[in-house]
Amino acid sequence: MTLSSIPLTAADLQIPAGGRRNSTLLCAPVMGESVDQMLGQIRAAKEQGADLVEVRLDFLKSFSPKQDLEILLKQSALPTLVTYRPKWEGGQYEGDDSQRLDALRLALELGADYVDVELQVAQEFFSSIQGKKPEKAKIIVSSHNYQNTPSSEELGNLVAKIQATGADIVKIATTALDISDCPRIFEVLAHSQVPTIAIAMGERGLISRILAAKFGGYLTFGAIEAGVVSAPGQPSIKDLLDLYNLRQLGPDTKVHGVIGKPIGHSKSPHLYNAAFKSVNFNGIYLPLLVDNVANFINAYSSPDFVGYSYTIPHKEDGLRCCDEVDPIAKAIGAISQMIRRPTDGKMIGYNVDYLGAIAAIEEALRASNGASPTTTSPLAGKLFVVIGAGGAGKALAYGAMEKGARVVVANRTYEKAKELASKVGGQAITLAELENFHPEDGMVLANTTSVGMKPNVDLTPLPKNALSRYCLVFDAIYTPKLTRLLREAQEVGAIPVYGTEMFINQAFVQFERFTGYPAPKQLIRDTLVKNS
């Protein structure tokens, strides 16, 4: 993907250049049921930092065009984009189309800064205004596809078709069925010769809404209230500005992210974006909902997509997609971080999971024994039971073996447990056998499965009655911090070790690999506490 010069006209709205690295406008959809509600939402949008509002007339319960538009346009605290979306294009309006277009014409006359007209009726609309429109007003011609994201060729043809109507601004909204659809949206923005709005809707399209600012989108949409959205996958104004630092994104911003499924729970974007900002590093870190790792890596081959963290369930698939793998990651059989080497673009895989988890477990054991740090690990000789044989399970089993522990792997499928146990000279059992597994007291338990993770916080991988045999219980889950497993371990007298410790320790290492800067450790810790 290459960036070409794109004519952007944020200056039309007298937006101060200070502190901004792009001219992408932040537009807040206003969907009140009454004019008063809308005016209140417009004030809220301004307070939150939006540049303009999209007034969605189709949400008004009763609408008197002349009277309501006059009030809305005169009293709006921000520039206005007036949209009156019909049901057939994903909106609420079900009435006569000629009345709808009359209202949009009236909005132009009464001083709307922009009006949005659907491609299907654009020709009719332009004929009706006969070239007469206020000089400062701009007409956006839009196309919404709620089924999929067409091919690059089809999108190019669609842009040309919209341009041919006489549109001042082209708007294309597609639906991302896979995150690998988004680069086609970025291509539209990068190659466009006219101001263009291009986004992919849905959770898998989230990054298209954020990176619009990197690739030169005319505007992107942010919700005034998280979750109250005018289209699927819309982030909030607050997240765009405070979490993703939208104003600081530029054509040369380096893109990082966490690859997983699900991914909405991840705290990583909070940590890394705050840390990047604190050291003035020109990067962004995104949640990447990936269905197929190989497809993702192939689709995002641009040198600006530079590094990823890996989480459940993609750590092993990630390893298979590397050009080169660090020896430790190879031994574990999974990666937790992938970096694009700047010299040749090759993807290099690392595993730093075990460093964070094992260090946290050792620290807790030493504290409980009152022992001072020595060269001998407190794990040496301990029976170390790992639940799960996936990427994180492999990392913990390998780390425990390195420290001299005797490893037992418990997994739902015995074959996977056996395969991992044989690599670390350990024993394999099934999850069903684990409940009555009691060769000795004072064992260490490490859960590396997602059982008990938000939203399924009432689940636990092992019943409470089985936990009394363990002196320490570690849970790799960090949302919630105190899982049911850890709470019940505490109740029977075992030491709980939180997944947040593993998460934070490996975050320090990953940050340094991503940026080349020392990790701002206290800031990362504080940010995690603030967002837990």
Side-chain angles (χ1 to χ4, degrees):
M1 284 175 278
T2 57
L3 290 156
S4 56
S5 58
I6 300 161
L8 295 167
T9 51
D12 295 349
L13 297 188
Q14 285 89 47
I15 303 255
R20 290 180 68 151
R21 299 193 65 244
N22 63 72
S23 40
T24 298
L25 304 172
L26 178 47
C27 180
V30 167
M31 301 172 292
E33 294 185 350
S34 68
V35 169
D36 281 349
Q37 248 184 37
M38 282 191 167
L39 289 171
Q41 288 173 0
I42 292 170
R43 286 192 292 275
K46 186 175 186 181
E47 277 164 28
Q48 289 180 31
D51 298 314
L52 73 158
V53 288
E54 180 184 34
V55 178
R56 287 291 300 267
L57 300 178
D58 48 307
F59 278 85
L60 288 169
K61 283 285 177 250
S62 70
F63 177 47
S64 312
K66 192 157 180 9
Q67 185 187 330
D68 293 348
L69 279 168
E70 257 179 353
I71 295 169
L72 283 164
L73 297 174
K74 281 207 175 97
Q75 294 185 26
S76 174
L78 285 171
T80 50
L81 152 55
V82 176
T83 299
Y84 202 178
R85 191 78 72 221
K87 207 86 171 173
W88 50 260
E89 187 90 358
Q92 304 288 310
Y93 180 76
E94 292 186 88
D96 176 64
D97 232 28
S98 61
Q99 285 180 12
R100 189 176 70 83
L101 297 181
D102 286 345
L104 291 174
R105 270 196 303 278
L106 186 59
L108 273 183
E109 287 165 25
L110 293 174
D113 298 278
Y114 306 85
V115 298
D116 178 310
V117 181
E118 299 76 21
L119 174 60
Q120 204 172 311
V121 293
Q123 231 40 85
E124 186 186 334
F125 184 79
F126 278 104
S127 303
S128 72
I129 62 169
Q130 298 166 339
K132 291 183 207 139
K133 74 173 173 77
E135 205 176 318
K136 72 161 194 151
K138 290 186 167 57
I139 297 173
I140 298 170
V141 176
S142 63
S143 165
H144 298 78
N145 179 332
Y146 293 93
Q147 276 69 52
N148 58 24
T149 298
S151 68
S152 294
E153 190 184 350
E154 288 169 304
L155 287 172
N157 292 339
L158 182 58
V159 170
K161 197 172 171 187
I162 293 174
Q163 266 183 263
T165 64
D168 296 307
I169 298 165
V170 169
K171 179 188 175 189
I172 290 176
T174 66
T175 298
L177 301 179
D178 191 282
I179 196 167
S180 60
D181 292 338
C182 296
R184 300 201 290 284
I185 293 295
F186 301 144
E187 280 172 27
V188 166
L189 291 175
H191 299 138
S192 179
Q193 298 308 304
V194 296
T196 300
I197 302 159
I199 49 173
M201 298 180 285
E203 196 182 353
R204 286 163 176 78
L206 171 69
I207 72 166
S208 72
R209 295 174 175 278
I210 300 163
L211 296 181
K214 171 179 168 65
F215 290 105
Y218 186 81
L219 62 76
T220 192
F221 295 93
I224 296 165
E225 194 182 326
V228 183
V229 300
S230 64
Q234 204 170 76
S236 66
I237 297 171
K238 189 180 184 326
D239 278 356
L240 285 169
L241 293 178
D242 300 344
L243 171 54
Y244 299 115
N245 303 317
L246 186 83
R247 306 293 194 204
Q248 306 310 312
L249 304 186
D252 52 349
T253 297
K254 301 297 181 201
V255 182
H256 313 71
V258 54
I259 290 177
K261 183 185 179 182
I263 204 62
H265 68 281
S266 178
K267 299 283 183 271
S268 296
H270 292 274
L271 300 201
Y272 289 101
N273 285 318
F276 287 172
K277 193 176 182 179
S278 76
V279 299
N280 288 321
F281 177 70
N282 184 13
I284 184 171
Y285 189 100
L286 300 164
L288 302 167
L289 177 60
V290 171
D291 297 290
N292 181 298
V293 177
N295 289 352
F296 174 84
I297 299 298
N298 290 334
Y300 292 86
S301 57
S302 155
D304 277 359
F305 288 77
V306 294
Y308 310 109
S309 311
Y310 276 78
T311 187
I312 294 169
H314 290 320
K315 297 184 177 208
E316 290 150 293
D317 283 346
L319 181 131
R320 287 189 278 274
C321 293
C322 292
D323 297 306
E324 289 174 25
V325 181
D326 176 77
I328 292 169
K330 193 173 274 182
I332 292 169
I335 62 166
S336 60
Q337 186 176 27
M338 181 189 265
I339 305 269
R340 188 184 301 280
R341 193 160 53 202
T343 50
D344 58 7
K346 284 196 165 23
M347 302 306 274
I348 317 301
Y350 302 92
N351 194 313
V352 296
D353 279 348
Y354 77 102
L355 295 172
I358 296 295
I361 291 167
E362 286 182 319
E363 211 173 292
L365 284 171
R366 283 196 184 101
S368 73
N369 301 334
S372 56
T374 62
T375 49
T376 309
S377 168
L379 280 172
K382 283 265 185 209
L383 200 60
F384 191 100
V385 180
V386 180
I387 306 178
K394 286 175 178 172
L396 268 287
Y398 181 86
M401 177 198 73
E402 287 274 280
K403 298 292 183 179
R406 295 167 291 138
V407 178
V408 175
V409 181
N411 195 56
R412 205 170 46 219
T413 54
Y414 179 72
E415 285 311 309
K416 278 194 89 173
K418 194 176 167 188
E419 189 189 336
L420 174 55
S422 68
K423 285 181 181 168
V424 294
Q427 180 187 348
I429 58 173
T430 64
L431 266 185
E433 293 173 287
L434 182 60
E435 193 175 337
N436 299 310
F437 182 74
H438 185 196
E440 61 189 67
D441 285 332
M443 302 184 287
V444 171
L445 180 71
N447 173 45
T448 67
T449 72
S450 58
V451 177
M453 185 164 86
K454 264 184 183 172
N456 305 310
V457 293
D458 297 331
L459 301 180
T460 182
L462 195 60
K464 185 176 178 179
N465 63 321
L467 295 175
S468 57
R469 298 147 198 173
Y470 298 91
C471 68
L472 178 147
V473 176
F474 166 79
D475 199 337
I477 292 167
Y478 64 89
T479 52
K481 182 180 178 181
L482 184 63
T483 57
R484 180 181 162 188
L485 175 69
L486 291 181
R487 189 177 70 245
E488 292 180 347
Q490 227 169 352
E491 287 164 5
V492 299
I495 305 161
V497 177
Y498 301 106
T500 44
E501 284 307 302
M502 163 174 159
F503 179 60
I504 218 111
N505 287 338
Q506 55 84 30
F508 298 156
V509 180
Q510 290 206 35
F511 175 87
E512 290 173 11
R513 284 225 175 99
F514 283 144
T515 64
Y517 293 107
K521 293 185 178 178
Q522 197 52 51
L523 176 122
I524 290 175
R525 281 191 179 277
D526 294 346
T527 307
L528 184 60
V529 169
K530 198 169 86 184
N531 289 285
S532 291

